[in-house]
Amino acid sequence: MARTEFIALIFLIPIIETYYSRHKLKILAAILMACIFVGANYQYFAEHFPDNRVLELADLSQANSVNLRHHLTDQALRTIQDHPILGDYASYASGEYAHNILSAWVDFGALGFIYAIALLMYPLLRLYVDGFFLKSKSRDFLLACILMSVTVLWMLTSKTFLDMSIAAGLGAYANYKYRKKNVENCPPYLSAPEA
């Protein structure tokens, strides 16, 4: 499994646990304690798993892919500096591109970047504000929340604006909003076909 997906899993566990918990503050405190424990004992983990690619992320100077992505981000920032308004579509060298949301700015300029940010953040913020703390739980909500949260994480750290997680997250969000509005007209999950 790629490190990106592993980090997403670690990122999502607190979200899911907090969502289903009746005592959200206790869960958040337990998660914080676990993070402190892992951080305080990092050296132990590094000694017992010396060739682990995931542990490379704790020392970014040793991670080749992280160093390459940093270099590509620097290139993207130079392109943005040279072409801030309209961008410079397809200006990357073959196979090189910023592995973050800056790729939208490089290709589509400032307006494209603002649009990409709005496209991601509006649904995510609406999900957290409208449904995260409701007593009634919804699988549609949780799927949309998970996909949008991971998509934003990936856009900040490792994926381009072309990643299919954006479409999956927005589709899950649209499905959640539709089902919430038209709940009486929606068929139940995995229902038997009507005779």
Side-chain angles (χ1 to χ4, degrees):
M1 178 165 57
R3 289 181 293 187
T4 304
E5 284 75 17
F6 180 75
I7 296 300
L9 174 68
I10 299 300
F11 177 74
L12 289 176
I13 289 171
I15 292 172
I16 295 167
E17 287 298 320
T18 304
Y19 178 67
Y20 280 116
S21 173
R22 289 184 187 157
H23 307 286
K24 294 185 185 330
L25 290 178
K26 288 180 182 178
I27 288 294
L28 290 174
I31 291 166
L32 179 63
M33 298 276 289
C35 290
I36 290 170
F37 173 79
V38 170
N41 293 297
Y42 168 74
Q43 193 61 36
Y44 172 81
F45 294 116
E47 289 171 5
H48 286 81
F49 305 101
D51 296 326
N52 188 304
R53 287 189 69 216
V54 174
L55 290 178
E56 275 184 6
L57 294 175
D59 183 8
L60 297 180
S61 66
Q62 302 300 317
N64 291 334
S65 66
V66 172
N67 291 329
L68 178 61
R69 288 178 188 201
H70 177 70
H71 171 71
L72 295 172
T73 298
D74 285 344
Q75 283 182 341
L77 290 171
R78 281 193 295 277
T79 301
I80 290 168
Q81 185 177 9
D82 293 341
H83 308 279
I85 305 301
L86 298 177
D88 192 14
Y89 188 79
S91 62
Y92 300 112
S94 179
E96 295 184 356
Y97 51 89
H99 288 262
N100 54 42
I101 193 67
L102 291 178
S103 59
W105 197 334
V106 170
D107 283 345
F108 300 120
L111 292 177
F113 177 73
I114 291 168
Y115 180 74
I117 295 290
L119 192 66
L120 294 171
M121 294 309 296
Y122 178 77
L124 183 64
L125 293 175
R126 288 296 307 257
L127 285 165
Y128 278 102
V129 169
D130 289 349
F132 198 77
F133 296 100
L134 293 178
K135 288 189 178 192
S136 63
K137 304 302 179 196
S138 163
R139 291 182 291 177
D140 294 322
F141 168 83
L142 187 60
L143 177 63
C145 186
I146 285 172
L147 286 173
M148 289 306 301
S149 296
V150 166
T151 298
V152 169
L153 174 69
W154 285 345
M155 291 302 114
L156 293 174
T157 60
S158 63
K159 306 283 186 184
T160 72
F161 72 95
L162 297 172
D163 191 70
M164 65 182 157
S165 63
I166 294 174
L170 292 174
Y173 175 71
N175 181 58
Y176 162 69
K177 293 300 281 185
Y178 176 80
R179 284 183 173 272
K180 183 178 173 188
K181 184 178 179 183
N182 302 303
V183 71
E184 66 277 355
N185 298 329
C186 293
Y189 288 100
L190 303 174
S191 61
E194 293 186 21

